[in-house]
Amino acid sequence: DIQTEKIEKKTILIAEDEDINYECIKILLEKENILFRTKNGEEVLQIIDAGKPVDCILMDIKMPRLNGIEAAKIIKKSHPDVYIIAQTAYTQIENEFNVTHTCFDDYILKPINPKALQNLLDIILG
C-alpha cells in the first residue's frame, strides 16, 4: 500500500510594482504555492488587515504610495509572526544589514537568483 504525502501549498504575498519582476517570481513559485500580488505597500496592508492567511511576504523595498520598509514596520507591529523577506537591488552591505535587522526577517537581492530564492523559502516555509 503506497501512501502519497499531501503537499500543503504555502501562500506567498508578492509585493512588487514592476510587472517583469513579478512575472519572473511568479514563474519560479506558482507551481508549488498560492500567490497573491500587490503593487504597493497600501495594498499589502489591506490584504493583511483583511485577515487573509499569508505564510510569507516577498516585499519590494521601493514601491509607490507606501514603500516596503514602511509597510513592513506597520505589519510587524500588529502581526509580528508574519515572515517578511525584503526584495532589494541595494547591494551595499550597510543597506542589507539595516534591512534585515529592522522590520524584515531576511532579504534577497535583485535580480533574484532562482536557486537562492527557493533555498530561502525552503528554510522559511519548511
Side-chain angles (χ1 to χ4, degrees):
D1 195 20
I2 299 174
Q3 292 183 343
T4 56
E5 195 176 307
K6 183 181 177 186
I7 298 173
E8 183 180 325
K9 290 189 173 198
K10 300 295 183 180
T11 302
I12 301 173
L13 175 59
I14 302 168
E16 175 60 66
D17 61 317
E18 296 291 332
D19 291 337
I20 189 70
N21 292 341
Y22 170 73
E23 290 300 323
C24 291
I25 295 169
K26 180 181 170 188
I27 289 168
L28 296 173
L29 300 179
E30 68 183 342
K31 288 182 183 175
E32 298 176 6
N33 303 285
I34 299 165
L35 306 178
F36 289 104
R37 181 193 185 185
T38 61
K39 292 187 176 187
N40 63 62
E42 289 177 358
E43 292 175 356
V44 173
L45 295 179
Q46 289 170 357
I47 287 182
I48 296 299
D49 289 343
K52 297 234 186 239
V54 173
D55 294 303
C56 178
I57 301 172
L58 283 174
M59 181 88 74
D60 187 17
I61 297 293
K62 188 178 175 186
M63 291 186 293
R65 294 195 193 150
L66 184 65
N67 70 43
I69 294 171
E70 292 305 314
K73 285 178 184 177
I74 293 167
I75 291 166
K76 284 297 188 177
K77 284 180 185 173
S78 59
H79 300 86
D81 295 335
V82 173
Y83 206 93
I84 306 174
I85 301 170
Q87 301 178 65
T88 182
Y90 301 125
T91 57
Q92 295 175 346
I93 193 69
E94 297 88 0
N95 287 333
E96 293 168 10
F97 181 84
N98 289 335
V99 164
T100 58
H101 290 85
T102 54
C103 48
F104 294 95
D105 297 292
D106 217 322
Y107 69 92
I108 190 156
L109 295 175
K110 290 180 179 181
I112 292 177
N113 175 310
K115 191 170 197 164
L117 177 59
Q118 192 57 57
N119 288 343
L120 182 58
L121 290 174
D122 286 347
I123 291 167
I124 295 164
L125 302 175

